[in-house]
Amino acid sequence: MVSQSRHRITHALHKGEAWIFANPKIVLSLIFFVTLLFGAMVPKLRIYSDFADLLPQNHPYIQTYNRLKENFGGANMIVMSVEVEKGTIFNDETLALIHKATQGLDSLPGVNHNLVNSLTHRTARKIFLDEQGGFASESYYDPLKSGRTVAELEQLKKDVIANPTIYGLLVSPDLKAALIKAQLNEADIDYPKTFAALQQVRESLASPGHKIYVTGNPVLTGWVYTYLNQIVEILAWTLALLTFLLVIYFRRLYGIALPLLGIALSSIWGLGFMALMGINLEPLSLPIPFLIAARATSHGVQLVVRYYEELAIVKNGQKAARNALDALFRPGSLAIIVDAVGIAVLVLGAAPFNHKLGLAAGFWGFSVIFTVHFMVPLALTVLPAPKNTVNANEGVRNFLGAAMARTGGTDGGARSILLLTLIGAIGGLYFVGKVQLGESEPGSPLLHVNHDFNVSTKAINTRFPGSEELHVLMRTDEKGGIKRPEVMAAIERFQAHMLSDPTLGGAKAIPGVLRVVNKLTHNDDPRWMQVPDTADEVGGLMFAYMAASPIPGALKEFVNADENEANMVFYYKDHQADTINRVVALAEEGKRLIEADVKGIHIELGGGIVGVTAAGNQALHTDHMIIIPTVMLIAFVIVMIYYSSLHAGWLMVLPMLFATLMTYAYMGAAGIGINVNTVPVIAVGVGVGIDYAVYFMDRIREEYAVLQDIKQAVIRAVATTGYAVSFTAITLIAGVVMWIFMSDLRFQSDAAVLLSFMLIVNAIAAVLIVPSWCVVFKPKFVTAAHYDADGVLEND
């Protein structure tokens, strides 16, 4: 029954193929018509980064982050440092420069003017008692004052040191640098525009004896945008390299033109689909479209190679094109579908970025069936047949066949290859254990270590508690609950708990402000630097602080308007995976202890770049454990259904498993962490890797049906398909290799190295493991293959 169903399906596909070849111009016209429709959409495609797309929106940390970012600040903070080379910042020239920097950041596009902080900003105020005993305040810095005496500067220094919300946080402990912080409104961030304005501000601040450093997520994203022109240049060089390789390989017009036409058509379909669906092209994900385009070339190469093989035999262009598609329809369509589905699995990821990339890249990958798999042989059908029908690559084929005859084509050689594969996999497990989930080093791995961004980050973190913030929310069930003394005590207990981590540079919360104000109300007596015992007294101090400031919202960075949420800020010097894991574990422990002791309070993590990264890392762990195994499982199921054989499914997944294991081993050895940018690269590399194995396996079946000898079938398969597959691997690598040498974005060059490694290992695994397995185990789906009366390859 199963055999009859398979027979009917196979022959139905055969009839469909016959109709296509009977009407090649109609099918080609439809393909080009759809291309025009997608091409009309391409100008609407937008290239930009959406920070929210990178966040797992359903994660509790991100839900907390989204609630607190408007009031207390988000992860898109610009941090600028003005550093003096000699002396301290307490001189008129340096103070004026700090004020100029503050005004410059406050004027940036998209800045939240309520969340700008610096020593010279209007919200940084000295609180004191006036002559009538009432509270008053004044800015630490008056920009209208032309100069200050030595005594005035010394008093300013003392006032700053006395304020724990300024000293150490906005002014470095050694008094040689000052920070200016500015939050951006995430709803309308224009990264290129903001970064360009920031660079102008920075240039205007150039002054002898001073250094200006800038860091923060908007700065990092802005730097990435500056390389877009370089990306276009890399695209041009990549196309030139692919063309050169095709010229070297084929030295025939069709072999050069048709694969390149396939790149053009598939790219138009993919980019047009993205524009149609409103999906933005993320600059950091650009190596993936390049790989898909190169993959389209590789399928075109397989078809044209087989066309020239058949042409040398049948001496008829139309017949050769039909034979090429007959032979490669099953493995080619199988490889394309598995690739596309493998990429589409990214939609299972938690971040919207993964959903968009999975949908867009999945469609792009699937479109290759039409833009290459059908287009190339149909184009060869309607184009004039070449006059020269001699296949000029017999020398290389004979060499590959002879090499396989001495290695994997023998019983001993095949067993040795499989044993060495097992040993290599076991050895790779050592390095797999070293792979980190998250960033593996300080600064940003997107840029090189000596890049201005990483240099600035290091300089700022050297002098200050840290530019990487973790925001933790203390929430009460009732309005005004933050004023309860036990809640204030809980905030300080949580701070003390977090300070047990020696890497914590500092902390900021409302109790610190209240202690300073309480001391002022008692003649500046340090014994009164404590939190009051009643809610009314706490509320009175908060009111006094706000009343002393002529600026509205003086406590906005600490508590919300309903006074049922308080923000705690913790400063770290990096957001490496080890740091994130340790900080989150400590915070969760403190949350459990304190919530259990104080009724009616809730401690919620999630704010700042540390909280956002923690959520991303946790979501990545789940994504990673779902996406990669799902790609493997889908590949197994699709191949199994295609060939009606469990053994076939396993044989296709085996090289993928080995190549994936070696990829993780390489990442562990090279110190490349698993993050939101590398997971899609791994998934795409895993999916693309099946191409080689499918073409090899199907060619072995085809040769066995004729030769009825598994060793000879393997040798012939490697001699024929091996040459095409080796060029396919080179073509795929050529699609990303230019990123290694030309991209100043470290991540893109690292991703290109990672993809190249995966492609090479996948090719080696397919060339060695698949034939060797067939020789040793003689799978039935191979040895039962035969041609039926209609010339269709089937299994018994």
Side-chain angles (χ1 to χ4, degrees):
M1 188 68 177
V2 174
S3 177
Q4 291 177 352
S5 298
R6 186 167 65 239
H7 180 82
R8 283 196 298 269
I9 293 171
T10 302
H11 280 260
L13 292 173
H14 191 66
K15 288 180 180 178
E17 180 190 330
W19 184 89
I20 289 173
F21 272 94
N23 302 276
K25 293 182 180 179
I26 294 176
V27 178
L28 286 173
S29 297
L30 287 172
I31 291 173
F32 287 114
F33 176 72
V34 174
T35 302
L36 289 175
L37 294 179
F38 279 123
M41 299 300 299
V42 171
K44 298 179 181 179
L45 180 66
R46 295 183 298 167
I47 303 176
Y48 69 92
S49 291
D50 187 340
F51 183 71
D53 279 352
L54 303 176
L55 309 181
Q57 295 296 329
N58 292 326
H59 194 286
Y61 291 3
I62 301 304
Q63 291 174 345
T64 300
Y65 168 79
N66 289 335
R67 281 179 41 233
L68 64 79
K69 66 183 178 184
E70 290 303 321
N71 282 333
F72 303 130
N76 275 291
M77 176 187 287
I78 297 173
V79 181
M80 177 180 284
S81 169
V82 176
E83 183 178 311
V84 65
E85 293 181 359
K86 295 181 180 179
T88 71
I89 64 169
F90 293 101
N91 63 79
D92 284 326
E93 181 186 0
T94 302
L95 290 171
L97 198 64
I98 295 168
H99 179 67
K100 184 178 180 181
T102 303
Q103 296 297 102
L105 291 196
D106 205 359
S107 65
L108 291 177
V111 74
N112 185 334
H113 301 291
N114 293 320
L115 293 173
V116 176
N117 290 304
S118 85
L119 171 63
T120 65
H121 193 259
R122 61 187 181 277
T123 56
R125 307 184 72 80
K126 173 188 174 183
I127 303 172
F128 57 92
L129 296 177
D130 60 21
E131 294 175 355
Q132 289 75 37
F135 278 95
S137 71
E138 63 182 16
S139 297
Y140 284 100
Y141 179 78
D142 182 0
L144 300 179
K145 194 169 184 177
S146 58
R148 291 160 186 78
T149 65
V150 173
E152 288 175 329
L153 291 170
E154 185 64 25
Q155 183 60 47
L156 174 58
K157 180 170 71 174
K158 290 179 179 178
D159 292 339
V160 166
I161 292 174
N163 189 340
T165 65
I166 301 291
Y167 180 61
L169 300 182
L170 293 178
V171 175
S172 63
D174 61 5
L175 307 178
K176 295 185 71 66
L179 288 187
I180 304 95
K181 297 182 177 182
Q183 287 279 352
L184 299 184
N185 296 309
E186 290 183 9
D188 56 353
I189 298 180
D190 185 333
Y191 287 108
K193 184 178 178 181
T194 301
F195 183 74
L198 175 63
Q199 290 295 80
Q200 289 180 354
V201 170
R202 190 176 182 184
E203 289 172 9
S204 71
L205 297 173
S207 174
H210 297 86
K211 294 179 181 178
I212 310 297
Y213 298 108
V214 188
T215 188
N217 185 68
V219 183
L220 175 61
T221 307
W223 277 116
V224 170
Y225 272 94
T226 64
Y227 296 109
L228 287 178
N229 289 335
Q230 185 184 72
I231 289 170
V232 173
E233 182 182 352
I234 292 172
L235 170 62
W237 279 103
T238 299
L239 288 173
L241 177 60
L242 288 173
T243 304
F244 174 75
L245 290 173
L246 291 170
V247 170
I248 295 297
Y249 184 74
F250 285 107
R251 298 184 298 280
R252 292 183 174 186
L253 177 62
Y254 294 166
I256 301 166
L258 291 179
L260 291 177
L261 179 60
I263 286 183
L265 295 182
S266 65
S267 298
I268 291 171
W269 281 43
L271 296 174
F273 177 79
M274 292 181 71
L276 181 65
M277 300 298 293
I279 298 174
N280 59 294
L281 190 58
E282 165 65 51
L284 289 176
S285 68
L286 282 172
I288 292 175
F290 275 62
L291 182 64
I292 296 174
R295 194 177 130 283
T297 308
S298 72
H299 288 293
V301 166
Q302 291 281 354
L303 286 161
V304 178
V305 167
R306 189 58 180 259
Y307 168 78
Y308 283 126
E309 282 184 15
E310 297 295 333
L311 184 65
I313 298 170
V314 301
K315 311 296 183 183
N316 180 286
Q318 290 186 349
K319 179 64 174 173
R322 175 68 183 273
N323 288 352
L325 186 60
D326 276 344
L328 297 182
F329 177 78
R330 183 191 295 263
S333 59
L334 173 61
I336 291 169
I337 290 170
V338 172
D339 286 350
V341 174
I343 298 171
V345 166
L346 288 170
V347 300
L348 298 176
F353 166 75
N354 286 330
H355 303 167
K356 293 181 177 181
L357 182 61
L359 182 62
F363 175 85
W364 193 335
F366 185 75
S367 71
V368 173
I369 283 185
F370 304 101
T371 58
V372 175
H373 205 53
F374 288 151
M375 185 277 293
V376 169
L378 291 177
L380 289 169
T381 300
V382 299
L383 290 171
K387 294 180 180 179
N388 180 13
T389 60
V390 177
N391 192 354
N393 295 319
E394 290 299 326
V396 177
R397 297 171 193 276
N398 292 338
F399 169 79
L400 290 173
M404 179 53 68
R406 294 182 177 87
T407 54
T410 65
D411 290 324
R415 290 192 178 93
S416 298
I417 288 172
L418 294 179
L419 180 61
L420 289 173
T421 300
L422 180 61
I423 293 172
I426 294 172
L429 288 173
Y430 169 76
F431 292 102
V432 172
K434 295 186 175 183
V435 179
Q436 287 189 340
L437 191 67
E439 308 297 2
S440 57
E441 59 188 48
S444 172
L446 299 182
L447 302 168
H448 291 284
V449 175
N450 59 352
H451 190 278
D452 177 83
F453 177 85
N454 284 328
V455 171
S456 290
T457 302
K458 183 178 180 181
I460 290 173
N461 285 330
T462 298
R463 294 205 179 274
F464 290 89
S467 59
E468 317 287 352
E469 296 184 358
L470 168 65
H471 290 223
V472 179
L473 198 67
M474 177 78 76
R475 180 170 56 84
T476 62
D477 292 332
E478 77 282 5
K479 290 184 178 181
I482 292 299
K483 293 184 289 188
R484 288 160 46 197
E486 64 268 28
V487 175
M488 287 290 173
I491 292 174
E492 292 199 311
R493 281 180 58 199
F494 188 84
Q495 285 182 289
H497 180 79
M498 296 298 291
L499 283 166
S500 64
D501 180 359
T503 65
L504 176 59
K508 181 175 71 173
I510 184 65
V513 176
L514 297 182
R515 286 176 176 273
V516 172
V517 176
N518 199 17
K519 185 183 73 166
L520 281 172
T521 63
H522 293 84
N523 298 315
D524 225 15
D525 187 340
R527 291 176 297 177
W528 285 95
M529 198 167 183
Q530 55 186 271
V531 178
D533 296 331
T534 68
D536 288 341
E537 288 181 282
V538 170
L541 292 178
M542 291 171 63
F543 176 79
Y545 181 83
M546 291 186 287
S549 174
I551 308 300
L555 287 177
K556 191 174 182 179
E557 63 178 305
F558 298 103
V559 295
N560 67 343
D562 290 334
E563 296 177 341
N564 65 339
E565 291 182 346
N567 184 37
M568 295 177 278
V569 185
F570 302 92
Y571 300 92
Y572 297 90
K573 295 183 183 296
D574 64 74
H575 54 272
Q576 292 176 250
D578 289 343
T579 303
I580 296 288
N581 294 338
R582 186 178 63 254
V583 167
V584 168
L586 192 62
E588 291 288 356
E589 180 188 18
K591 167 185 165 74
R592 287 191 299 271
L593 292 174
I594 295 170
E595 283 184 346
D597 288 346
V598 183
K599 293 182 179 180
I601 68 167
H602 309 277
I603 298 175
E604 301 173 2
L605 279 69
I609 194 67
V610 173
V612 165
T613 305
N617 287 355
Q618 291 179 14
L620 272 175
H621 177 72
T622 304
D623 291 352
H624 190 248
M625 298 306 293
I626 292 174
I627 290 173
I628 305 302
T630 301
V631 173
M632 300 279 189
L633 180 62
I634 288 175
F636 172 81
V637 171
I638 293 177
V639 174
M640 180 189 70
I641 293 173
Y642 250 64
Y643 292 101
S644 299
S645 168
L646 288 169
H647 202 152
W650 160 249
L651 184 53
M652 288 303 92
V653 170
L654 182 60
M656 293 171 66
L657 281 171
F658 176 76
T660 303
L661 180 64
M662 291 296 101
T663 299
Y664 285 124
Y666 169 76
M667 292 175 68
I672 300 175
I674 298 172
N675 55 49
V676 70
N677 297 306
T678 55
V679 166
V681 171
I682 298 169
V684 170
V686 170
V688 170
I690 200 172
D691 283 13
Y692 312 125
V694 167
Y695 280 113
F696 262 116
M697 185 178 72
D698 211 76
R699 190 60 183 258
I700 292 171
R701 291 177 71 248
E702 185 181 328
E703 296 294 344
Y704 185 86
V706 175
L707 300 172
Q708 295 297 305
D709 183 307
I710 191 65
K711 294 177 185 176
Q712 289 302 313
V714 162
I715 293 169
R716 283 286 300 274
V718 172
T720 51
T721 301
Y723 185 44
V725 164
S726 62
F727 183 75
T728 294
I730 294 171
T731 304
L732 288 170
I733 293 168
V736 295
V737 71
M738 286 299 181
W739 296 94
I740 300 174
F741 306 107
M742 296 183 64
S743 179
D744 289 327
L745 280 171
R746 180 184 170 191
F747 163 73
Q748 289 181 337
S749 60
D750 285 349
V753 171
L754 183 61
L755 279 170
S756 299
F757 179 85
M758 292 187 75
L759 294 169
I760 291 171
V761 174
N762 268 305
I764 293 173
V767 170
L768 297 178
I769 295 176
V770 173
S772 299
W773 189 276
C774 289
V775 169
V776 173
F777 296 102
K778 300 177 178 62
K780 186 177 180 181
F781 77 94
V782 172
T783 57
H786 69 280
Y787 289 97
D788 67 6
D790 297 323
V792 179
L793 187 64
E794 288 189 335
N795 280 1
D796 291 334

